[in-house]
Amino acid sequence: MKEPIAKKKLSKRTWVAIVMILVIIPLTIWFGIRFMGDRKYYFISMGIIVYTFVPFLMVFEGRKPQARELIIIAILAAIGVAGRAAFFMLPQFKPVVAVVIIAGVCFGAESGFLVGAMVGFVSNFFFGQGPWTPWQMFSFGIIGFLAGILFRKGLLKSSKPQLCVYGFLATFFIYGGIMNMSSLLMWSSIITWKSVLAVYITGAPFDLIHASATVFFLFVASKPMIEKLERIKKKYGLIER
């Protein structure tokens, strides 16, 4: 895969996505916790998807997206959902983060977040919807978004070693860090340093398994998937960034 020339400035759509992802979406999740008792998670989840579509559609910069450009994103989301379901018997051993990272690298930060959010939402129709769903959508999405930005800036290459290192760190610290804290917020009304420390210590083994799974799937599947996606993107001119 041809590596991009590092760019210093982020595009307008990326700044819009940053505002949506780092401000609007967290505020929406907080609003659900504070005023809805976390019980309107379907509403919150759909809100996250709608917010994500705004910067994603800005990728096309005035032209209407073709069906095939949207289908490839749907296919990547479907792969993530199917992969999560296929390994349901192995707790935390899932390929979702690997797929999301590949989506961000191949199709940009906005697409990476959208794929992650969609996988979190749709797959929970099989695993169970709940107040954790918006948190999972955000956690998966932010990893794909960050992968896309780092790749665009030239700070992340498409080589196996770099993708595996990023995948491990992102899964353990970003996904694990967010989901562990969300668990504490969902199930306890009193937050103390002891409770925070306890939830991170008890969650560390599961986060380690999840991070190791991400490394495994990136090592096995990143090269063939990226090569195939790049050929498809070049042949059909999909989602030019």
Side-chain angles (χ1 to χ4, degrees):
M1 180 178 180
K2 184 179 179 181
E3 306 294 347
I5 298 174
K7 298 182 179 181
K8 295 182 179 181
K9 293 184 178 180
L10 297 177
S11 64
K12 180 177 68 174
R13 66 173 183 265
T14 302
W15 281 111
V16 171
I18 289 173
V19 173
M20 290 287 186
I21 292 167
L22 298 184
V23 179
I24 304 300
I25 291 177
L27 282 176
T28 301
I29 296 175
W30 172 82
F31 182 84
I33 295 174
R34 181 68 177 81
F35 297 103
M36 296 182 178
D38 250 348
R39 301 188 183 281
K40 302 295 184 182
Y41 42 84
Y42 280 113
F43 171 79
I44 299 170
S45 299
M46 289 304 300
I48 292 174
I49 293 174
V50 171
Y51 298 150
T52 307
F53 260 105
V54 174
F56 171 75
L57 292 178
M58 290 178 67
V59 169
F60 303 99
E61 296 181 348
R63 68 180 180 86
K64 292 182 179 180
Q66 300 180 45
R68 59 179 177 237
E69 292 174 310
L70 300 179
I71 288 173
I72 194 67
I73 299 301
I75 290 174
L76 286 170
I79 291 173
V81 173
R84 193 179 181 199
F87 291 87
F88 75 96
M89 295 184 66
L90 300 175
Q92 301 301 315
F93 196 86
K94 305 291 188 292
V96 176
V97 176
V99 174
V100 170
I101 291 172
I102 292 170
V105 167
C106 290
F107 296 107
E110 297 83 2
S111 299
F113 191 93
L114 180 58
V115 169
M118 290 294 293
V119 171
F121 181 60
V122 176
S123 63
N124 275 358
F125 282 103
F126 302 98
F127 287 88
Q129 297 283 355
W132 52 85
T133 297
W135 292 99
Q136 288 180 320
M137 293 170 65
F138 180 75
S139 301
F140 286 138
I142 196 67
I143 292 174
F145 184 78
L146 183 58
I149 288 183
L150 292 177
F151 183 76
R152 184 178 180 85
K153 301 286 285 185
L155 300 175
L156 176 66
K157 307 297 183 182
S158 60
S159 63
K160 282 185 180 181
Q162 289 204 26
L163 289 177
C164 288
V165 170
Y166 172 76
F168 182 89
L169 295 176
T171 306
F172 189 87
F173 291 104
I174 298 178
Y175 185 89
I178 293 174
M179 291 309 300
N180 286 333
M181 180 56 68
S182 70
S183 298
L184 186 59
L185 292 172
M186 283 185 286
W187 308 121
S188 177
S189 58
I190 300 176
I191 308 298
T192 64
W193 285 112
K194 288 184 178 180
S195 63
V196 171
L197 183 62
V199 76
Y200 277 104
I201 290 176
T202 55
F206 299 97
D207 296 334
L208 184 60
I209 294 172
H210 195 187
S212 300
T214 300
V215 171
F216 172 78
F217 287 110
L218 283 172
F219 184 81
V220 171
S222 63
K223 184 176 180 180
M225 281 190 68
I226 290 175
E227 289 178 349
K228 183 65 173 178
L229 290 171
E230 284 297 311
R231 285 198 297 269
I232 294 173
K233 187 168 69 172
K234 183 177 180 180
K235 181 177 180 180
Y236 297 105
L238 302 181
I239 313 180
E240 291 296 332
R241 293 170 293 166

